[in-house]
């Protein structure tokens, strides 16, 4: 009976968290608009250059970066140019709010993406956070294992299709897929089911990259989810208002997330993502380095 009660409590907190974040998420994140996504980018100085193509959701777009330096994409370009002595041209096809399926649809429809992928030295992808949110939003209090599994299956299928499509345009290009993290952990560390769901999505990506050549997984969970290791004190949460009050009282608990939405990384958080990506990039340098 105690196990059932704890499970129900966790589901209730998940539902409340989802409700609050969903409202903010729907206000802050525009609906997918495949016809009006303008690529952003940085152009390198003349000479030998690397072509970086970034595809994905709000994490690729750089939402939450208060320094307005393009999130992990901008910082990766800067590190490659400053520390690795490369010239880098980047094109950013990030669009806030996109699920993996919406990213796939957008990539199919935008000729400019195909054009850039064909000449890319490497590609980065962020996806999954919105897929995870959709699973929570659609099921809420009725969330069951089968719902999570269905969401993971859909995500994995769309990601595999996306990689296959990119491969038809550039057969050898290395592709780096950044995992998802749990932005609620430091506020609700007692909601273990959130961790389980997040790990499930990451495990699907890890399984996929093991099967495919020149596709690499980049872990960001380990550097973002738990912040600096401090977690908020557990308190009674029985309404969306008490949930808001708890987050507001602990809005600096995770120093790597934006205080404007408690969901996306801030500039420091994107720096930690960049460091994780750079580790994998440098380990696989022979795949993308310009001769």
């Amino acid at each position: 009976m105690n196990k059932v009660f704890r499970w129900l409590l966790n589901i209730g907190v998940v539902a409340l968290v989802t409700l609050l974040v969903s409202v903010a998420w729907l206000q802050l994140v525009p609906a997918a608009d495949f016809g009006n996504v303008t690529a952003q980018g940085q152009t390198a100085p003349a000479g030998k250059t690397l072509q970086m193509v970034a595809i994905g959701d709000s994490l690729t777009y750089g939402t939450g970066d208060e320094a307005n330096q393009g999130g992990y994409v901008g910082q990766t370009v800067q590190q490659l140019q400053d520390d690795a002595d490369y010239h880098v041209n980047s094109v950013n096809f990030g669009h806030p709010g996109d699920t993996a399926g919406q990213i796939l649809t957008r990539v199919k429809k935008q000729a400019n993406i195909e054009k850039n992928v064909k000449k890319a030295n490497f590609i980065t992808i962020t996806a999954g956070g919105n897929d995870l949110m959709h699973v929570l939003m659609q099921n809420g209090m009725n969330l069951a294992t089968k719902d999570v599994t269905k969401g993971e299956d859909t995500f994995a299928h769309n990601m595999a299709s996306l990689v296959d499509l990119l491969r038809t345009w550039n057969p050898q290009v290395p592709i780096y897929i950044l995992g998802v993290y749990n932005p609620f952990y430091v506020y609700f560390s007692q909601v273990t089911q959130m961790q389980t769901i997040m790990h499930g999505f990451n495990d699907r990506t890890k399984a996929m990259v093991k099967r495919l050549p020149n596709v690499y997984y980049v872990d960001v969970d380990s550097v973002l989810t738990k912040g600096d290791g401090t977690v908020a004190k557990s308190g009674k949460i029985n309404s969306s208002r008490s949930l808001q009050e708890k987050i507001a009282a602990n809005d600096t608990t995770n120093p790597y997330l934006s205080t404007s939405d408690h969901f996306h990384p801030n500039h420091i958080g994107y720096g930690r993502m960049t460091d994780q990506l750079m580790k994998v990039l440098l380990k696989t340098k022979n795949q993308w380095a310009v001769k």
Side-chain angles (χ1 to χ4, degrees), residues 183-235:
F184 309 127
Y185 178 84
V186 297
Y187 308 110
F188 309 103
S189 57
Q190 75 273 26
V191 186
T192 56
Q193 191 177 27
M194 288 289 294
Q195 285 293 92
T196 301
I197 296 171
M198 181 266 294
H199 287 145
F201 273 77
N202 283 336
D203 287 345
R204 292 301 186 97
T205 302
K206 291 176 186 177
M208 180 183 70
V209 302
K210 284 183 179 179
R211 301 193 305 266
L212 302 173
N214 300 340
V215 183
Y216 306 96
Y217 174 77
V218 179
D219 163 49
V220 299
D221 165 42
S222 66
V223 298
L224 290 182
T225 292
K226 296 185 178 181
D228 60 3
T230 304
V231 297
K233 294 181 180 179
S234 298

Side-chain angles (χ1 to χ4, degrees), residues 155-281:
F155 166 71
H157 173 76
N158 287 326
M159 288 297 289
S161 297
L162 175 60
V163 171
D164 287 344
L165 178 59
L166 297 175
R167 277 279 175 259
T168 65
W169 297 334
N170 194 331
Q172 301 300 323
V173 65
I175 299 172
Y176 301 86
I177 303 176
L178 286 74
V180 296
Y181 61 96
N182 177 4
F184 309 127
Y185 178 84
V186 297
Y187 308 110
F188 309 103
S189 57
Q190 75 273 26
V191 186
T192 56
Q193 191 177 27
M194 288 289 294
Q195 285 293 92
T196 301
I197 296 171
M198 181 266 294
H199 287 145
F201 273 77
N202 283 336
D203 287 345
R204 292 301 186 97
T205 302
K206 291 176 186 177
M208 180 183 70
V209 302
K210 284 183 179 179
R211 301 193 305 266
L212 302 173
N214 300 340
V215 183
Y216 306 96
Y217 174 77
V218 179
D219 163 49
V220 299
D221 165 42
S222 66
V223 298
L224 290 182
T225 292
K226 296 185 178 181
D228 60 3
T230 304
V231 297
K233 294 181 180 179
S234 298
K236 187 176 181 180
I237 302 172
N238 51 24
S239 69
S240 59
R241 181 176 180 179
S242 63
L243 180 63
Q244 287 177 305
E245 290 172 350
K246 181 169 182 179
I247 291 180
N250 295 282
D251 62 2
T252 58
T253 299
N254 191 330
Y256 310 131
L257 299 187
S258 168
T259 55
S260 65
D261 62 15
H262 306 279
F263 190 88
H264 295 94
N266 56 23
H267 187 69
I268 296 174
Y270 279 117
R272 292 174 74 80
M273 289 178 65
T274 301
D275 290 342
Q276 294 294 95
L277 174 59
M278 285 296 298
K279 289 176 184 177
V280 184
L281 278 172

Side-chain angles (χ1 to χ4, degrees), residues 51-62:
Q51 307 292 334
M52 172 184 180
V53 173
I55 297 170
D57 51 24
S58 55
L59 297 185
T60 292
Y61 186 81

